[in-house]
Amino acid sequence: MVRDGFYVYGNQFYLSRVRGGHNYFQIRVSDHPVYALDEKIDILVALDTQTIPEHIDEVKEGFVLADESIVGDNVDEKIISVPFTEISKDVSGKKLFSNTVAVGAVFGLLCYDLATLKRFLSETFKRKGDEVVEKNIKAAQAGYDYVKNGKFEGICNYNLSPQPTNRRILINGNDSVGVGALAAGVQFLSAYPMTPSTGVMTRVAAHADDFNAVVEQAEDEIAAINMAIGASFAGVRAMTTTSGGGFCLMTEGLGLAGITETPVVIFLGQRPGPATGLPTMTEQGDLNFVLHAAQGEFPRCVLAPRTAKDAFNQTIRAFDIADKYQIPVLILSDQHLADGLFTYERFDTSDLKINRHLLEDRFVGSDYQRYTITESGISPRAIPGQNGALVVADSDEHNEAGHIDQTTGNRIRMNEKRLRKVDGLTDEMQMPAIHGIDGADISLIGWGSTYGPLAEAVDILNRDEVSINLIHFSDIYPFSHDTVSLLDGLNTTICVENNATGQFARLLRAELGFEVSKKMLRYDGLPFTPQSVIRELKGMGVI
Amino acid sequence: MVRDGFYVYGNQFYLSRVRGGHNYFQIRVSDHPVYALDEKIDILVALDTQTIPEHIDEVKEGFVLADESIVGDNVDEKIISVPFTEISKDVSGKKLFSNTVAVGAVFGLLCYDLATLKRFLSETFKRKGDEVVEKNIKAAQAGYDYVKNGKFEGICNYNLSPQPTNRRILINGNDSVGVGALAAGVQFLSAYPMTPSTGVMTRVAAHADDFNAVVEQAEDEIAAINMAIGASFAGVRAMTTTSGGGFCLMTEGLGLAGITETPVVIFLGQRPGPATGLPTMTEQGDLNFVLHAAQGEFPRCVLAPRTAKDAFNQTIRAFDIADKYQIPVLILSDQHLADGLFTYERFDTSDLKINRHLLEDRFVGSDYQRYTITESGISPRAIPGQNGALVVADSDEHNEAGHIDQTTGNRIRMNEKRLRKVDGLTDEMQMPAIHGIDGADISLIGWGSTYGPLAEAVDILNRDEVSINLIHFSDIYPFSHDTVSLLDGLNTTICVENNATGQFARLLRAELGFEVSKKMLRYDGLPFTPQSVIRELKGMGVI
Amino acid sequence: MVTMDDYKDGETEWCPGCGNFNILEAVKRSLVGLGKKPHEVLMVSGIGQSGKLPHYLKCNTFNSLHGRTLPPATGAKVANPELTVIAVGGDGDSYGEGGNHFIHAIRRNPDITLIAHDNQIYGLTKGQASPTSELGMKTKVQTHGVLHTPFNPLAVAISLDCPFVARGFAGDVEHLSSLITQAISHKGFSLVDVLQPCVTFNKLNTYKWYRDRVYKMEYNGHDPANRMAAFEKALEWGDRIPTGVFYKRDSETFESKLDILKKGPLIKDQYDSAKMDSVFENFS
Amino acid sequence: MVTMDDYKDGETEWCPGCGNFNILEAVKRSLVGLGKKPHEVLMVSGIGQSGKLPHYLKCNTFNSLHGRTLPPATGAKVANPELTVIAVGGDGDSYGEGGNHFIHAIRRNPDITLIAHDNQIYGLTKGQASPTSELGMKTKVQTHGVLHTPFNPLAVAISLDCPFVARGFAGDVEHLSSLITQAISHKGFSLVDVLQPCVTFNKLNTYKWYRDRVYKMEYNGHDPANRMAAFEKALEWGDRIPTGVFYKRDSETFESKLDILKKGPLIKDQYDSAKMDSVFENFS
Ligand SMILES: Cc1ncc(C[n+]2csc(CCOP(=O)(O)OP(=O)(O)O)c2C)c(N)n1
Ligand SMILES: Cc1ncc(C[n+]2csc(CCOP(=O)(O)OP(=O)(O)O)c2C)c(N)n1
Ligand code: SF4
Ligand code: SF4
Ligand SMILES: [Mg+2]
Ligand SMILES: [Mg+2]
């Protein structure tokens, strides 16, 4: 449908198990860009017996498609019982194609041109041979016919007019980070698998050969970050990916990057904690942790992308900032964004250039000192052996040459040098996005992956003439200079977060002395939806 | 001298190397309790050539004792050149005893009764045989005589009158924590050595046999905390000790203790970071980190002892709080407190009782559920196998029985249950100590190991009629309920911290919305002294 | 008498056909066979498909972090040596994330049995290579196939003189259960590495693949007292894969070396503040 | 020509008589002997007395965290295989805190030499037991003496089929230097475990203690190509302690298995944003 010019947004809900359990995938199709799920379901395809009882109430004016065996005792006029399995067996002799039958049935219900689906099936199953393609197409057609032309004829009342395009992509948050990393010229990614971050590693791995990159699965997260630091020290752009539990093991390495001033990009896909928590669900519960992880004091940068496209852009920026300030940069995502599927025009990378912020050979000599004190705090960086130079880095406090130095005067100078980098970094930071009407009575404040549902909630409310807007942060740390004056100009503020304690509201207070009026917190492992936000606002009595 | 009724405070400065380098030890002797070093040196004993040039300016009205070879080119009337080595050779044939000669010389300079020293030497070297004892005593006597009766006769003008006591102890911060842990009934300590925390482990190890405790050196800090958690789960009081770098590796375990609600006490001796940093020096740079370490949200408690005695008491409390709320409790110390030697009356432990806050057998049955939802958030705790009960704990989100449960309703209930424990915990917290005059114009705000120097600075200034006092925190997180109203009643506030960014001042803002007027930060690896504080206050123009 | 019913518990979440079911069955049989009551047993597991096993049994359970089965198991065993402590983890758990604990637990030698569900893959995270994956096996991460020499848990354990080293196959519950029973009964650290087909992600090491190769050493004259022979056997992997007990020796356990435990379990100790006096002597 | 002077650097901070001086000397001689220029060499060290070694040489240095010598060394080697990468760490560094990396670096097999300063003690933290400390050795932490079976780095390395496994003695600089030279020259992961007297904290394993026991296997007919013989030799520890090359085999290094590196070092790659088009194809 993406190729037909529609905007699709999807997300999945799965359990921390490989098979079985009640897993589901929700998709929304629209002729304008959408970045959130709707709580109102138009078409529910039930593939297990739990689906109907659990979700039928969400189907307001739509239909439920289900195999006869799954319908069971459920009686509801919305239910369209289709013998998926039987049809599959009919056309192919196997049960295997019942999912394809179901998709065909959905197309039938949508009165949508089946040719699109057929094209898709041909491409997808090409690898598996003509027979498989053919059986899939047959199955889709049979499902389509059953709904469109059989006893449900006339039920389809959607009017979806395709506008074919080639430039449109359907991409999730994790893939966008991976693609962003490739666009930024990442050449070394070491990681240990961890839901919901693994997709970034596999995305980079899929293209590593074309991009002269190495993806290495480490024995643990300690090795993962330290390998990346070693690769970066030696001269390439390097990153690691993980979730909260793995990040715990990376914190010492984070400090190592801090004191050795080695650029490194760390992708952290949040999931509900503490500890193993809810591995496959979503939460924004690690903000405080990433801001303060590792002993001692050193500059870091935290970026929390809002959407897949933002994830792409922020990843490119993360590498640039890491190189420019020679610091660790954290990309803070979560399962909601990781698995969220977005539709866009193909990202424009035509005039992408990268600057490694490295010394040119002609400025590197045998007297090179890695930690020269400068006003900006940034010491010109050479790589080991470059032009005969020796590069000495140390996790102990060190002098300009990089050697251990425990004198107090040196300590003060080096500590201040490193911390001075925050000034430049702050100049670099972007202001929060403002969505909705100006000077609204109510401002939602959000960060990271909540952008989609919050922006849509604001749109819906603005259409209903509620005076509300959204102030949404993607640059989390440090804050841009002008943030306070923006915030001070707001009326009622409601900080909306996917956690139980309001970590971002606390950050605003800690960093800016800004106190939000109210907090809206969700911590059941699920993301906000526009409807849930509106409901909560009503519950709070603010609208 | 401690046995003679004096109060001694000492601290050491050493480099991260085993021999050589300019290491020194500073001692202060007084007839009233002292908890800080003085910048004014009365007697400087120089044992290496760097000592005189580096420290002679600190000797205001006192003397420098040094071997002839070390005096070198330094000319100053304060210098008393004593041939330590030669005297040693004279009396024993070896250079080995020159340090004892030096101590004898100090006693001579102090006109102090040599019998005390002789008694001490006899006891100390008893193990090594009579000959060693005798030679030491001879060396001390010779040093004493050289200064007291030789060409410097009459120079001694101190009047130190001993008041012998048996109940007085000389103890440093690390030993106090170790002794406190023993007093609290610790039975399992697993740790990996790390300066400046190792002393706690060795202190507990020294008495483990008497206290039925096991001290186990782990292969790494990950194992250290997880072993302690396992031991605690099985039913004993357990702790681990480390510094910032090791704590990095413990953060995932911290979250494990959080979600499994397993009590554990973590001792963290801070040193300057980031990473390896300055292993043998002091800083209060890990506050933010311990407050926010590990993914997700769960209650924890942070205590930062002020003095050795406070360290003893807070350690006992840490174990009680850990057991009562079934949470991890952090004792946040630093090198300054770890190595600081304090003089006290023997701590009173006569009516020490411990409460394990465990279920009695008669309440434990086969239907036992580890995570019963309660109003306080505290689930009655049994230990594995107790009275036939099964105890099931899980790092995943779990239900009341302890089994994996990923449903949203359960998540909300369990998350809220755990977080509810913060309420009770908050009731438990103690208010900051107030030292100095009431309603002062200026209030210093400090936390942890800075108490000694700050309190003395206030005393000195109060004597000079400066209107100043000290508000000093030992209970760091959560803050006691009434903290805000106390702080709001203050005039000019100056937050004094041993770090570069003012982490505690930020915490006051984040937690209480309280903004300090000014910050005084020291981050050269050395502790504050009363004099440095007064100097800074003058520099700031507030006094 | 303890029966299989004593160990029955809830619904399982593994894929149909997964080797884990057989391991679960083998563990139950062993515990029943040994007459252990559920409350006398503590299972410590990691995170992975294998880590869920204790939830499908009735017993004391500490479902720890990924890779961290052995440290809490050791702490618990020291605190209460009366518990029968069994650690279960995946190959990722035990040899990847937890590799350092594996080595050092063997050195420390607590009386714990480690059952490693060795499916040569990361199951729960959907199919990346594990430390024991075959050279060349392709996954979405290992796009050029596995490049690292597979970890050989048995050879490493023998090189560290681990007192009990065995390999079982999840396709042979009876044999596996007998190995687990021996491992639990043997004093000291015992390793049972279990070849466990993962029917969903490991399409290489299937039931058939294993069945075509495994054989039982006990019918082959292998002497488990012979360390060199055990080492040699441990290197055998290919057309023929030995199962059974590779190595066995008597040893003093960690707990038995801790003099303090001779007085009884730490958890039964009575606190006495009067002992503090002797401590303060050190500071005056 | 490279000379010893090229590798001279600042004041050292070790105790007089420490075995580390000899290791430093041996390393210098090897690098000079191999004609390596300081800027072609990258030394990655951990934290401990041993970790200071690179500071006393002139070369590229990454003085990492305690226990973390091998991961950054590996990352650097992959990024720039033209560097001669040497990791130096203590026994605590290499086998305790860093034990997991030790195992997996061997499996991964980058062309790195690990020199482990094995003084059987934690030096920098003032004398606790290390993984290789002798059973029974008392310290302030190990008040009842060491209870854990000493870690046997050579046996473990051989069990993992490490391509070059050697032991040297800091009391014999010439022999040690020859081992280090061979290790650096040998392709793949090379381990040189060095018996290093710590004159301050280890009063048991002194120069004399080692001297009375060490002998050179090369004069003893040991064949380093024979893995079983190597394993047997690795178990020998007591009145006689073998030094020399235990095991040696040809191997494909990690870098050589990474096809991408055939085009040259990653650091020399030219960035080209035009490649992005092919990526987006996957999403439309
Ligand atoms: C610190 C940490 N890193 C990564 C993960 C993610 N994770 C969960 S299970 C697993 C590996 C599973 O493989 P294995 O241990 O072999 O168990 P299996 O599922 O195959 O039984 C990983 C990487 C985690 N939970 N914690
Ligand atoms: C994560 C971490 N844990 C602990 C330490 C403290 N530490 C520094 S060196 C060292 C051990 C030193 O022993 P070894 O590695 O054998 O080196 P040696 O000094 O004997 O050469 C330890 C425990 C540390 N720096 N970092
Ligand atoms: S993914 Fe593999 S290991 Fe996990 S339950 Fe399924 S078959 Fe078993
Ligand atoms: S403590 Fe031991 S290892 Fe460290 S420098 Fe001194 S002798 Fe060498
Ligand atoms: Mg596995
Ligand atoms: Mg050592």
Side-chain angles (χ1 to χ4, degrees), chain A residues 12 54 149 157 210 213 240 299 342 355 367 376 430 446 473 509:
Chain A
Q12 54 182 315
E54 273 194 29
N149 307 323
N157 63 352
D210 290 342
T240 185
F342 297 74
N355 179 352
D367 57 346
S376 65
Q430 293 170 0
F473 290 78
R509 194 162 57 224

Side-chain angles (χ1 to χ4, degrees), chain D residues 40-237:
Chain D
E40 297 167 341
V41 176
L42 170 62
M43 284 244 164
V44 180
S45 69
I47 297 296
Q49 298 289 14
S50 40
K52 294 175 185 167
L53 186 141
H55 291 286
Y56 309 147
L57 269 178
K58 263 187 190 141
C59 59
N60 294 293
T61 298
F62 193 78
N63 186 356
S64 180
L65 300 166
H66 180 57
R68 315 304 166 200
T69 54
L70 297 174
T74 305
K77 183 73 188 175
V78 170
N80 187 3
E82 291 177 353
L83 291 169
T84 296
V85 179
I86 301 172
V88 286
D91 40 350
D93 250 340
S94 309
Y95 311 136
E97 187 77 78
N100 208 29
H101 312 309
F102 177 68
I103 295 174
H104 292 280
I106 295 176
R107 295 184 47 229
R108 192 174 278 123
N109 199 30
D111 188 16
I112 289 175
T113 297
L114 169 63
I115 303 175
H117 299 220
D118 191 350
N119 54 8
Q120 305 187 251
I121 199 91
Y122 282 7
L124 192 63
T125 47
K126 311 204 164 174
Q128 303 80 23
S130 87
T132 55
S133 293
E134 307 278 336
L135 272 171
M137 178 195 249
K138 288 198 181 181
T139 80
K140 282 191 183 169
V141 172
Q142 284 73 26
T143 53
H144 291 265
V146 169
L147 306 177
H148 308 171
T149 309
F151 181 71
N152 187 330
L154 308 169
V156 171
I158 294 163
S159 75
L160 292 162
D161 213 12
C162 179
F164 185 93
V165 181
R167 179 191 281 139
F169 169 43
D172 185 343
V173 176
E174 203 179 309
H175 184 236
L176 177 59
S177 177
S178 109
L179 294 174
I180 293 173
T181 303
Q182 291 176 65
I184 295 173
S185 310
H186 194 87
K187 288 265 159 279
F189 190 84
S190 306
L191 168 67
V192 185
D193 183 79
V194 187
L195 303 175
Q196 173 232 323
C198 164
V199 298
T200 303
F201 293 113
N202 190 333
K203 305 293 186 188
L204 180 61
N205 310 106
T206 59
Y207 278 101
K208 179 166 168 15
W209 191 94
Y210 287 125
R211 262 205 194 102
D212 287 349
R213 289 165 174 78
V214 295
Y215 70 96
K216 297 190 184 113
M217 282 181 295
E218 42 272 53
Y219 305 122
N220 230 288
H222 172 65
D223 171 14
N226 183 335
R227 188 166 172 196
M228 288 306 292
F231 185 70
E232 197 153 13
K233 274 285 167 207
L235 301 184
E236 187 177 328
W237 181 275

Side-chain angles (χ1 to χ4, degrees), chain B residues 2-3 123 166-172 175-176 179-180 182-188 203 207-220 222-224 226-236 252-253 255-256 260 262 312 346-354 383-396 402-404 406, chain C residues 6 9-10 13 37-48 51-52 54-80 83 97-98 100-105 107-108 124 254 258-261 263-284:
Chain B
V2 170
R3 292 198 203 152
E123 288 175 20
N166 253 331
R167 303 287 304 166
R168 212 161 270 178
I169 56 171
L170 181 68
I171 192 166
N172 72 23
D175 281 328
S176 296
V179 173
L182 293 164
V186 69
Q187 291 199 276
F188 190 86
R203 174 53 55 199
H207 305 278
D209 292 351
D210 291 342
F211 283 77
N212 284 357
V214 169
V215 172
E216 175 62 1
Q217 183 176 317
E219 56 271 29
D220 56 29
I222 304 174
N226 283 294
M227 273 188 203
I229 289 170
S232 173
F233 173 74
V236 302
E252 201 188 5
L256 177 66
T260 60
T262 310
F312 173 78
R346 213 174 258 209
F347 304 145
D348 184 14
T349 52
S350 53
D351 50 24
L352 205 66
K353 276 188 199 65
I354 63 169
I383 62 171
Q386 185 182 353
N387 219 13
L390 302 183
V391 181
V392 179
D394 190 1
S395 74
D396 294 273
H403 290 298
I404 304 184
Q406 306 188 45
Chain C
D6 289 325
D9 214 337
E13 293 192 345
K37 300 206 186 75
H39 76 271
E40 297 167 341
V41 176
L42 170 62
M43 285 244 163
V44 180
S45 69
I47 297 297
K52 294 175 184 167
H55 291 287
Y56 309 148
L57 268 178
K58 261 186 191 142
C59 59
N60 293 292
T61 297
F62 193 79
N63 187 168
S64 179
L65 301 166
H66 180 57
R68 314 306 166 198
T69 53
L70 296 174
T74 305
K77 183 72 188 177
V78 170
N80 186 4
L83 291 169
E97 187 77 78
N100 208 28
H101 312 309
F102 177 68
I103 295 175
H104 292 280
R107 295 184 47 229
R108 191 174 278 123
L124 192 62
F254 181 48
L258 293 169
D259 288 342
I260 227 66
L261 295 181
K263 302 192 215 164
L266 296 181
I267 58 159
K268 296 203 175 145
D269 177 56
Q270 288 305 315
Y271 176 76
D272 176 8
S273 77
K275 300 176 190 164
M276 291 305 296
D277 275 349
S278 69
V279 176
F280 287 115
E281 292 304 326
N282 287 263
F283 301 100
S284 53

Side-chain angles (χ1 to χ4, degrees), chain C residues 125-137:
Chain C
T125 48
K126 311 203 164 172
Q128 303 80 23
S130 87
T132 54
S133 293
E134 308 278 337
L135 273 170
M137 179 197 248

Side-chain angles (χ1 to χ4, degrees), chain C residues 12-186:
Chain C
T12 58
E13 293 192 345
W14 291 316
C15 311
C18 174
N20 282 329
F21 289 104
N22 296 347
I23 303 181
L24 177 61
E25 176 68 18
V27 168
K28 278 189 200 174
R29 284 197 206 169
S30 295
L31 291 173
V32 171
L34 289 163
K36 300 273 176 203
K37 300 206 186 75
H39 76 271
E40 297 167 341
V41 176
L42 170 62
M43 285 244 163
V44 180
S45 69
I47 297 297
Q49 299 289 14
S50 41
K52 294 175 184 167
L53 186 140
H55 291 287
Y56 309 148
L57 268 178
K58 261 186 191 142
C59 59
N60 293 292
T61 297
F62 193 79
N63 187 168
S64 179
L65 301 166
H66 180 57
R68 314 306 166 198
T69 53
L70 296 174
T74 305
K77 183 72 188 177
V78 170
N80 186 4
E82 291 178 352
L83 291 169
T84 295
V85 179
I86 301 172
V88 286
D91 40 351
D93 250 339
S94 309
Y95 311 135
E97 187 77 78
N100 208 28
H101 312 309
F102 177 68
I103 295 175
H104 292 280
I106 295 176
R107 295 184 47 229
R108 191 174 278 123
N109 199 31
D111 188 15
I112 289 174
T113 297
L114 170 63
I115 302 175
H117 299 220
D118 192 350
N119 54 8
Q120 305 186 251
I121 199 92
Y122 282 6
L124 192 62
T125 48
K126 311 203 164 172
Q128 303 80 23
S130 87
T132 54
S133 293
E134 308 278 337
L135 273 170
M137 179 197 248
K138 288 199 180 180
T139 79
K140 281 190 185 171
V141 172
Q142 284 74 26
T143 53
H144 290 264
V146 170
L147 305 177
H148 308 172
T149 309
F151 181 72
N152 187 329
L154 308 169
V156 170
I158 294 163
S159 76
L160 291 162
D161 213 13
C162 178
F164 185 93
V165 181
R167 178 191 281 138
F169 169 44
D172 186 343
V173 176
E174 203 179 309
H175 184 237
L176 176 59
S177 176
S178 110
L179 294 174
I180 292 174
T181 302
Q182 291 176 66
I184 294 174
S185 310
H186 194 87

